[in-house]
Amino acid sequence: MRLSDLRGRTVAVWGTGREGRAAVIAIAAHGPADLVAVDDSANFLSLPWEGPLAEAAPLVTGEAGFERLAAADVVVRSPGVPQTHPWLVELRRRGVTVTQGTALWMADHAARTVGVTGSKGKSTTSSLISHLLTAVGRPNVFGGNIGVPTLDLPESELYVLELSSYQCSDLTDSPRVAVVTALFPEHLDAHGGEREYYRDKLNLLAHGPETIVVNGADPRLAAELGDRPAVRAGHPDTTHVATGLDGTPWFHLGDQPLFPRAVLPLVGRHNEGNLCVALAVLDALGVDVVAGKDHLAVAVAEFQGLAHRLTEIADPSGLTFVDDTLATSPYAAMHAIDAYDGRPLTVIVGGTDRGLDYTPLAEHLAERELNVIGIPDSGARIVGALAGLPKVRTEVVDDLVDAVRLARQLTPAGGVVLLSPAAPSYGRFRNWEHRSEVFAEAVADTAGA
């Protein structure tokens, strides 16, 4: 379904945050017969609804909102409306057509789009792709889940989008190059379960992309793909890391060395995988990666890691504090822990308890020696899952500031204190950005302690 297909139809836009506002503006320009905006009381992303927005689409709230949704020919929901929302379940039962702004946009732009999703790494990988394309003279517009709604994007010959599982779920067109960086259980409360989450995530691949590029080192992703044709970055026949002629790790394309691993300023094996995926995408788009390797090496060296993703904070004590507050699952925390393998390590975990299984984290730490400090709400349960591990010392504290203070006492000189919470932010914080701010302030305030 395209935006033009909404002409002369009754349309309800569900959600009044950035996505909903962008949808109303775009849909109104295509002449629907009737257009309303609906906001239910649980929508925490709401923004003031006034002026031209209110003129284009009157706002309906409360139970009357559901009545307008049910009466519409088409409901355009914001990504923040979960699949498990009772209204959405009922709308689907009644056969109401439900879509999203990203799906409407993709119908007109799929052939010019690289779409990137993944349970981990989608932000960094999509940013790398856009950055490297610009460096080799391929102008592009970058947007999607990373901050710019697709319906607000300007015209371009090429787009690079970061797409969440929520955005992928309603697509009926796949982008020209569909990319998946990793797959593990996430957002199960919003999707209804693990199988439903995988289904929604991999819907990105379900509608005939020209090329599929995936992280070939991800076992769950490999199992879900089966024998589906795809470029599997990390395998020897495509982009991968292997020992170079100088005896150090190098990025390669097939048997052709490109540049040393040391060029990439991001720590962790998972970031090596992210760059392998990005280079494979450039190759799929016709960029001569081997011929342009020197130019690409400069661009890779200039790439700035994204905020709150293994962001190191300088400290006069000699400790390295690391803000990885966007590690909101046990699998993301495992990647972060691996990034600092070989150094004394204290990890701060805990946040909203969504009932995730922390057994994989416990198995991952079975032979590791480190400290783990739990904070509310889920910190105590995570620490409980680690009980019995012989080399893991655990503590539970009341808040993040106390955790930082205790981490200073537990971590030897030259060690790392890692905020990798394995869960989203919890009620004492407005969001993950606020959690990051509190962490940075606590590091600064306890520096002399």
Side-chain angles (χ1 to χ4, degrees):
M1 178 180 290
R2 291 175 159 80
L3 279 167
S4 58
D5 295 329
L6 302 181
R7 185 179 301 278
R9 308 180 75 178
T10 60
V11 181
V13 172
W14 186 1
T16 57
R18 288 181 301 182
E19 293 277 351
R21 297 161 81 88
V24 163
I25 293 169
I27 293 167
H30 285 79
D34 183 62
L35 179 62
V36 297
V38 173
D39 191 16
D40 64 277
S41 59
N43 192 333
F44 65 92
L45 296 175
S46 301
L47 296 169
W49 199 259
E50 55 195 10
L53 283 168
E55 295 173 9
L59 178 62
V60 183
T61 60
E63 290 301 317
F66 175 75
E67 295 172 5
R68 296 304 294 266
L69 293 173
D73 295 325
V74 179
V75 171
V76 180
R77 69 178 177 117
S78 294
V81 177
Q83 295 279 22
T84 53
H85 194 297
W87 287 7
L88 185 56
V89 172
E90 178 61 18
L91 291 173
R92 295 198 190 283
R93 189 190 69 80
R94 296 187 186 190
V96 175
T97 299
V98 180
T99 186
Q100 286 186 55
T102 296
L104 295 170
W105 182 93
M106 191 70 76
D108 287 318
H109 299 86
R112 291 179 277 162
T113 300
V114 176
V116 183
T117 195
S119 304
K120 174 71 175 176
K122 62 184 180 294
S123 299
T124 296
T125 302
S126 56
S127 298
L128 271 166
I129 293 167
S130 178
H131 173 75
L132 296 180
L133 284 171
T134 300
V136 298
R138 297 286 295 273
N140 63 92
V141 167
F142 183 38
N145 186 58
I146 204 161
V148 181
T150 50
L151 289 172
D152 276 343
L153 296 176
E155 278 299 308
S156 177
E157 294 183 3
L158 183 62
Y159 297 90
V160 178
L161 301 185
E162 180 204 324
L163 298 171
S164 69
S165 53
Y166 312 122
Q167 291 170 308
C168 291
S169 63
D170 288 328
L171 293 177
T172 54
D173 301 87
S174 291
R176 173 184 171 185
V177 181
V179 183
V180 187
T181 60
L183 196 63
F184 51 75
E186 257 278 47
H187 308 301
L188 304 188
D189 52 340
H191 290 271
E194 186 170 340
R195 294 308 316 164
E196 292 80 4
Y197 170 69
Y198 295 160
R199 175 202 66 201
D200 290 346
K201 199 75 162 170
L202 297 180
N203 189 48
L204 181 74
L205 315 179
H207 307 284
E210 181 178 302
T211 305
I212 296 172
V213 178
V214 300
N215 174 6
D218 187 295
R220 188 174 286 101
L221 182 51
E224 292 292 329
L225 286 175
D227 59 0
R228 178 181 293 183
V231 177
R232 299 173 191 257
H235 286 193
D237 59 341
T238 179
T239 49
H240 65 285
V241 176
T243 303
L245 293 176
D246 62 359
T248 67
W250 277 58
F251 287 95
H252 289 70
L253 175 57
D255 60 359
Q256 297 295 310
L258 299 176
F259 42 79
R261 163 60 176 93
V263 167
L264 177 64
L266 308 182
V267 300
R269 292 281 301 276
H270 64 292
N271 278 318
E272 294 176 11
N274 291 337
L275 180 54
C276 285
V277 170
L279 292 169
V281 169
L282 264 66
D283 185 54
L285 290 171
V287 174
D288 192 334
V289 173
V290 174
K293 61 185 180 181
D294 293 340
H295 192 54
L296 285 169
V298 173
V300 168
E302 293 174 344
F303 181 75
Q304 299 295 314
L306 304 180
H308 320 299
R309 296 166 178 84
L310 294 178
T311 303
E312 296 188 355
I313 301 172
D315 188 77
S317 69
L319 296 177
T320 301
F321 287 84
V322 182
D323 173 11
D324 196 40
T325 192
L326 276 172
T328 56
S329 77
Y331 297 91
M334 287 153 55
H335 284 305
I337 291 166
D338 287 350
Y340 292 95
D341 190 30
R343 295 180 64 182
L345 182 63
T346 297
V347 185
I348 300 171
V349 299
T352 301
D353 194 338
R354 298 183 300 184
L356 293 176
D357 180 10
Y358 290 99
T359 303
L361 178 61
E363 294 172 347
H364 193 72
L365 299 182
E367 301 300 324
R368 303 294 182 97
E369 183 173 353
L370 73 163
N371 306 305
V372 178
I373 302 173
I375 60 175
D377 296 329
S378 61
R381 192 165 73 83
I382 298 173
V383 164
L386 306 181
L389 297 182
K391 300 180 182 179
V392 178
R393 173 178 176 176
T394 59
E395 300 277 355
V396 176
V397 298
D398 290 334
D399 59 41
L400 182 52
V401 176
D402 286 344
V404 170
R405 189 176 291 111
L406 177 59
R408 285 191 179 279
Q409 299 172 16
L410 297 179
T411 313
V416 176
V417 178
L418 173 63
L419 171 63
S420 194
S425 55
Y426 64 103
R428 306 180 195 191
F429 299 127
R430 295 187 299 274
N431 49 37
W432 52 264
E433 290 174 317
H434 183 217
R435 177 165 60 188
S436 179
E437 292 169 6
V438 172
F439 180 65
E441 290 171 358
V443 171
D445 291 346
T446 61

